Amino acid sequence: MPSPLSRLLLAGTAVLLVAGTAVTGSGPHAGDSSDVDRMPFDWAGVTVVHGVLAAGCLVVGGLLFAALPGGSPARGRAGVFLAVFVAQGAVGVFQSLASLPSVAVILHLCGSALVWAGAVRVALAVHQHRTTVPVAEGPSPRLARPTAVADT
């Protein structure tokens, strides 16, 4: 189950970043002059879509985290991804409620790069986890001691 979830997380995060670009490109962000042409999207609408996509990615990330075995590197990366993702969401909510201060916008843009890198790291770790062959219990047949040979 983890592999389809990791692919869904990666695809969902990619779509989330595209929607975030639409939010940034269509909104009234700090530092813009009135002469700058913005993307022709309804800023409030794309912001809601961006938030819904983020909630979906958070759910998929949580399901993936729960599906991975405890102590595995893949689960560790999924946990770090979720922590960064929640922090990124907090910055996004803050910037919306605080009338888009430029520092918050910059932090949110930098955070998006961390979220994408985290999603890629999770997907790679899950892939590596799935392709690792478990080690058999006991000695290898080639290394086992031979049985006693009858004296002749």
Side-chain angles (χ1 to χ4, degrees):
M1 186 72 164
S3 185
L5 284 174
S6 68
R7 286 192 292 262
L8 182 60
L9 180 66
L10 194 60
T13 302
V15 173
L16 175 65
L17 294 176
V18 169
T21 301
V23 171
T24 301
S26 61
H29 298 285
D32 289 349
S33 72
S34 60
D35 298 334
V36 175
D37 290 331
R38 305 302 295 171
M39 290 179 171
F41 302 123
D42 173 45
W43 180 68
V46 293
T47 301
V48 169
V49 169
H50 182 60
V52 169
L53 289 168
C57 287
L58 186 60
V59 168
V60 171
L63 291 172
L64 178 60
F65 179 80
L68 291 166
S72 71
R75 189 168 198 212
R77 287 188 182 177
V80 170
F81 170 82
L82 288 171
V84 170
F85 197 89
V86 168
Q88 171 72 343
V91 172
V93 169
F94 169 77
Q95 73 176 5
S96 292
L97 296 175
S99 300
L100 305 168
S102 59
V103 172
V105 173
I106 291 167
L107 287 174
H108 198 64
L109 289 172
C110 291
S112 67
L114 295 175
V115 165
W116 176 246
V120 170
R121 285 177 49 88
V122 168
L124 291 173
V126 168
H127 175 73
Q128 183 178 18
H129 173 76
R130 289 179 54 89
T131 58
T132 303
V133 178
V135 177
E137 294 294 322
S140 168
R142 291 182 299 166
L143 300 177
R145 294 179 55 182
T147 56
V149 179
D151 291 331
T152 54

